[in-house]
Amino acid sequence: MTAPSEPAAPAAAPAAAAPLTAAPQGSAAAAQAAAAAPQDSAAARFGPVALVVAAGVSVQFGAALAVMIMPRAGAAGVVTLRLAAAAVVLLLLCRPRVRGYSRADWGTVLAFGVTMAGMNGLFYQAVDRIPLGPAVTLEVLGPLALSVIVSRRLVNLLWAGLALGGVVLLSGHGGGGSGFGSLDPAGAAFALGAGVMWAAYIVFSARTGRRFLQADGLALAMAVAALLSLPLGVFEAGSALLVPSTLALGIGVAVLSSVLPYTLELLALRRLPASTFAILMSLEPAIAATAGFLVLHQALSAVDALAIALVIAASMGAVRSQTRKRTPGRTLGRTP
């Protein structure tokens, strides 16, 4: 897999449109650069945001599909199928080299892999006990807390607070309107633990993206996560993991919930600060509620719609404040 390519240079003007006298080469180059600048600027500003949103849509619809196959393989079995299939796909596509890396590089890969295994394992234990909407709502508190911790601008605290308000509002109605009061305590605890691991995932994904070319680091970390989850999945599901229909669905979950979103997020984090990325994660409960409605037939209420509007407004505000902070000639900054 390769990183998104830079916007293509504008095509040459038709010969009929060319002036009768040739302009100086420097003037032509300057004019071409000026024409390309707005497109390059827009791509630099909103390209990483589009990657994050696309990743969120993919991962939540993948989670809804995973809920449907849990009766066949159990929570740990689904995690094993997801991570193992994702690791195989990424290793085949990326074919990362295993030599020439420093001890710090391997330490980052191992930490990233442990984080992914923990995040997935805890989250699927949560959705095995509580509805998808509340589970994602609790989980997203981890990235929200990270956005407050790493933010260096006061305005980001405002957007984080607005997003948190939307998350809290959604929490009382997500997953069919049951609210948090009736949630299984163990399921809620698993979701909160997944949120902590999600915040760590953001940090280590950014570090991995800086240390490794393309998605090589992600492929190696996914292999680590798959190896860690394998014993638990085999213990819980056993031979059920090899049933063709279950295996096919597990591969689908792997592509939607791991291969595609993790690659998109890793690419986005190369150009997007962790604080802005974390606030964008506030969109996840809204996307999860939509996936629950379309796939799991969970109803959306007017309060759900208001909560979705709040988290979207917070995400848009965070992105707008970040793009205003940019200076000419620079892309969105990386995390420290």
Side-chain angles (χ1 to χ4, degrees):
M1 295 182 181
T2 57
S5 59
E6 295 297 325
L20 296 178
T21 58
Q25 184 176 0
S27 300
Q32 187 180 35
Q39 298 178 9
D40 292 345
S41 178
R45 290 183 180 184
F46 300 108
V49 176
L51 292 177
V52 175
V53 173
V57 172
S58 181
V59 75
Q60 294 308 329
F61 276 84
L65 178 61
V67 171
M68 297 176 63
I69 65 174
M70 276 186 185
R72 303 186 183 193
V78 171
V79 172
T80 296
L81 284 174
R82 168 180 170 174
L83 295 180
V88 170
V89 171
L90 284 172
L91 289 173
L92 289 176
L93 290 177
C94 299
R95 297 187 180 184
R97 60 185 177 88
V98 295
R99 296 182 180 180
Y101 297 121
S102 67
R103 182 175 299 179
D105 293 337
W106 281 113
T108 300
V109 162
L110 290 173
F112 192 21
V114 170
T115 298
M116 283 195 290
M119 179 177 66
N120 283 280
L122 291 170
F123 177 73
Y124 281 110
Q125 289 295 331
V127 296
D128 193 34
R129 294 168 171 80
I130 61 178
L132 180 61
V136 177
T137 301
L138 283 172
E139 187 190 25
V140 83
L141 295 180
L144 280 173
L146 178 65
S147 72
V148 175
I149 293 172
V150 305
S151 175
R152 297 179 180 177
R153 304 188 71 201
L154 184 60
V155 68
N156 278 343
L157 299 179
L158 172 64
W159 297 126
L162 181 62
L164 180 60
V167 168
V168 171
L169 185 61
L170 185 63
S171 72
H173 298 270
S178 60
F180 283 154
S182 60
L183 292 182
D184 178 79
F190 280 127
L192 289 172
V196 174
M197 299 303 291
W198 193 357
Y201 160 81
I202 293 172
V203 174
F204 287 112
S205 180
R207 292 181 181 178
T208 302
R210 291 195 296 267
R211 288 182 174 273
F212 293 85
L213 295 174
Q214 300 176 359
D216 288 5
L218 174 62
L220 294 172
M222 190 68 72
V224 172
L227 290 174
L228 291 174
S229 68
L230 185 61
L232 295 176
V234 171
F235 177 78
E236 179 172 350
S239 60
L241 296 176
L242 301 178
V243 175
S245 59
T246 302
L247 187 59
L249 289 172
I251 293 173
V253 172
V255 172
L256 287 174
S257 295
S258 294
V259 176
L260 183 59
Y262 288 175
T263 301
L264 293 175
E265 289 174 0
L266 184 144
L267 295 175
L269 278 166
R270 288 176 174 171
R271 294 180 286 167
L272 196 67
S275 57
T276 302
F277 179 90
I279 296 178
L280 281 170
M281 292 298 97
S282 301
L283 288 169
E284 295 288 347
I287 299 172
T290 303
F293 172 73
L294 295 176
V295 180
L296 303 176
H297 308 293
Q298 296 173 349
L300 289 173
S301 68
V303 178
D304 293 331
L306 177 59
I308 290 172
L310 286 177
V311 295
I312 291 176
S315 299
M316 291 178 63
V319 173
R320 189 168 182 81
S321 66
Q322 178 59 33
T323 55
R324 285 178 174 175
K325 182 182 176 182
R326 292 177 66 252
T327 57
R330 295 184 61 186
T331 57
L332 290 171
R334 296 176 178 176
T335 54

